[in-house]
Amino acid sequence: MNKNINERIQTLFELYQNKKDETEDYAKSIIDEFPNHPASYKILSFILLNSARFSESLPILKKLLKITPKDPEIYYLLGIGLQGLNQYEEAINNYKKVIKLKPDFILAYSNLANNFQLLGKFEEAIEAYRKVLTLKPDFAEAYNNMGNALRENGNLEESIKCFKKAITIKPDYLLAKNNLDLALKIYVPQWHITMLNDKSRNNAYLEAIKLAVKKESLVLEIGTGSGLLAMLAAANGADKVITCEENKIISKTAKKIISKNGYEKKINVINKKSTHLMIGEDIPKKADLLISEILSSQFVGEGILESIFDARNRLLKDKGKMIPESGAIRIALIGENKEILDSVSIKKFNEFDLSEFSEITPRRIDLNLKEKVNFLSDFYNAFNVDFKKISNDIKDEKIIKLKSNKDGLCLGLIQWLQVKLYQDVEYENIPFEQPSHWSTPIYLLNKPIKLNKGDFIEIRALLDKDSLWFSFK
């Protein structure tokens, strides 16, 4: 009998290796004849799992487990079957049993980590991936998967390192390259490039810096970015420039750029948020000039005003200079515009009425307008902000009345920035008229309304230290 079963198992292996269609039926016939022989069960479970027939695989594996209860591979296969059925907790329990029986079972650790990640348990997943990489340091897929877990857990810097490591191990690993690009887009947003290519903005800052910087000036810059503004200050006579950047990748890159341009002795890049800088530790004394360009398209957001307030109060000399000095949030009524309407509304396609979808679009959109703007009113300074006088608890709420200066269909209001950099140097990103890296916020009425010349629209406006909003009464 042993000879018979051994020969039949050998034939089964050959059929399986050659991917023959009759393999499954042959395995079942051996199970019928020899119900306590594990090899045929295992081959049959491989066939079922490989064809994603997960529910069929479970009873086969459970029978196999009764025959060989201490075989770690069976628990591993059970984990795969349960994972395929989205039973992640049960899959995890089986992978843990594998590891208990065989602590160096790399794939069990890897699948354990994957299931933790599927459940959103990112810290447990990361810990399991680290164990995988202890056992197999050149496991590119584990680095890629750990990078995803780190990104989901909010640790972008470490996730980027993992994706880069995966690509170093496996240079043609396209999935890791894609994941690296996604992480970099979050960590180093694309607007940095458009900002650096904004010549109007750059020239305005250059003009202001030339006026404000003196030979003995100690300059503090908030938000290093590429290092451009710090180098402009150094090139125009600043004795010393301290610039801080919270993002490690940007900080390291700025140091390389500054060194490449020959300013490493005059400019010190500190990898810290400005609110964490300390006099006597990061900066030798209070600065003579504070430079910042951390405004958003809405002027505020992500702690911008708080950072400027803190730097002005703690890190700038009394009567020290600031660039920018102040700014205004400007608004105007906006008329019919195909580019805007195409971005926020849909009526029909052929005979299909799709208008309901327009009802769920956001009331504020941000566009880089390519068409001329149809202003229905003069501009109005909704809020004025003096950086030398702002408080840390800034909050202003008001009703604004905008008057239509011509007939037209009103879509809502459009908003932009006017910034007084230093003395008479100003910068304003008037929509369409002034090319700008900042997008243009547009606040939409629930439904466009027809206005006649002289009509008023009432707007409720809110500005606080981290947000700006306009709505229509």
Side-chain angles (χ1 to χ4, degrees), residues 151 163 167 175-187:
R151 183 181 64 198
F163 295 134
I167 295 164
L175 183 58
K177 289 182 177 181
N178 179 64
N179 287 333
L180 173 62
D181 191 65
L182 291 172
L184 286 171
K185 282 177 180 175
I186 299 169
Y187 200 57

Side-chain angles (χ1 to χ4, degrees), residues 103-239:
D104 61 348
F105 201 130
I106 295 170
L107 291 177
Y109 274 109
S110 182
N111 278 11
L112 175 67
N114 293 341
N115 278 264
F116 276 134
Q117 193 162 344
L118 288 165
L119 287 171
K121 297 181 177 182
F122 301 116
E123 290 183 6
E124 291 95 329
I126 293 162
E127 183 181 348
Y129 285 129
R130 292 195 196 283
K131 181 63 177 178
V132 173
L133 292 166
T134 300
L135 296 169
K136 187 175 171 58
D138 62 347
F139 197 166
E141 286 76 9
Y143 274 110
N144 177 68
N145 292 338
M146 185 163 75
N148 284 326
L150 286 161
R151 183 181 64 198
E152 293 292 340
N153 205 40
N155 194 338
L156 278 169
E157 184 186 348
E158 289 301 314
S159 78
I160 288 166
K161 289 179 182 177
C162 284
F163 295 134
K164 287 182 175 180
K165 184 69 175 178
I167 295 164
T168 300
I169 295 168
K170 191 176 177 181
D172 59 349
Y173 196 175
L174 296 184
L175 183 58
K177 289 182 177 181
N178 179 64
N179 287 333
L180 173 62
D181 191 65
L182 291 172
L184 286 171
K185 282 177 180 175
I186 299 169
Y187 200 57
V188 186
Q190 187 64 28
W191 54 256
H192 281 278
I193 300 298
T194 56
M195 179 179 69
L196 292 171
N197 281 319
D198 189 338
K199 292 182 180 179
S200 298
R201 170 259 190 193
N202 295 345
N203 284 328
Y205 266 89
L206 173 58
E207 189 178 346
I209 286 169
K210 282 181 176 178
L211 289 172
V213 168
K214 304 300 178 187
K215 186 175 181 181
E216 69 281 1
S217 294
L218 171 62
V219 176
L220 172 62
E221 182 200 14
I222 297 176
T224 309
S226 67
L228 175 61
L229 298 186
M231 289 190 291
L232 289 177
N236 284 280
D239 185 51

Side-chain angles (χ1 to χ4, degrees), residues 24-69:
E24 183 177 339
D25 288 338
Y26 194 76
K28 289 178 179 178
S29 70
I30 297 175
I31 289 171
D32 289 340
E33 190 173 351
F34 304 99
N36 293 317
H37 199 285
S40 52
Y41 285 95
K42 194 171 281 190
I43 292 292
L44 180 57
S45 67
F46 288 156
I47 293 168
L48 295 172
L49 291 171
N50 288 337
S51 57
R53 292 153 66 188
F54 303 115
S55 57
E56 292 179 58
S57 72
L58 296 186
I60 300 299
L61 288 164
K62 287 175 182 177
K63 287 179 182 178
L64 180 55
L65 199 57
K66 290 179 180 178
I67 300 168
T68 55

Side-chain angles (χ1 to χ4, degrees), residues 25 53 95 162 189 254 272 290 326 354 377:
D25 288 338
R53 292 153 66 188
Y95 292 133
C162 284
K272 278 187 180 180
L290 174 65
S326 62
L354 305 173
S377 72

Side-chain angles (χ1 to χ4, degrees), residues 247-391:
N247 185 307
K248 283 188 179 180
I249 289 178
I250 294 177
S251 175
K252 288 178 182 177
T253 304
K255 285 181 181 179
K256 291 178 184 177
I257 292 170
I258 288 165
S259 178
K260 188 175 183 179
N261 285 277
Y263 287 100
E264 68 274 14
K265 291 182 179 178
K266 285 191 118 181
I267 301 172
N268 186 20
V269 180
I270 299 174
N271 180 214
K272 278 187 180 180
K273 188 172 176 149
S274 63
T275 52
H276 297 162
L277 293 180
M278 300 299 294
I279 299 287
E281 180 181 327
D282 303 302
I283 179 170
K285 59 182 181 178
K286 289 191 174 184
D288 301 295
L289 170 64
L290 174 65
I291 299 175
S292 63
E293 205 286 60
I294 53 177
L295 299 176
S296 71
S297 60
Q298 289 188 283
F299 201 95
V300 295
E302 299 182 10
I304 289 168
L305 297 184
E306 185 179 5
S307 296
I308 294 175
F309 170 81
D310 172 77
R312 183 201 72 194
N313 278 19
R314 290 194 310 114
L315 307 173
L316 183 66
K317 285 181 178 178
D318 291 341
K319 298 183 180 179
K321 302 172 184 176
M322 297 178 71
I323 300 175
E325 295 179 321
S326 62
I329 298 168
R330 289 188 163 169
I331 59 173
L333 297 178
I334 187 167
E336 197 165 3
N337 178 291
K338 184 177 183 300
E339 184 179 4
I340 296 172
L341 287 172
D342 285 348
S343 299
V344 298
S345 66
I346 178 70
K347 292 183 179 178
K348 285 188 176 182
F349 176 76
N350 292 341
E351 74 276 16
F352 303 108
D353 184 345
L354 305 173
S355 58
E356 289 297 320
F357 209 83
S358 302
E359 301 299 317
I360 61 172
T361 56
R363 292 299 88 195
R364 193 201 91 203
I365 60 171
D366 297 281
L367 296 177
N368 293 104
L369 293 167
K370 297 178 177 61
E371 292 183 7
K372 188 174 181 178
V373 177
N374 178 19
F375 291 106
L376 287 183
S377 72
D378 296 331
F379 77 80
Y380 180 84
N381 284 357
F383 298 101
N384 295 292
V385 179
D386 187 337
F387 292 122
K388 293 182 178 180
K389 296 179 181 178
I390 58 168
S391 65

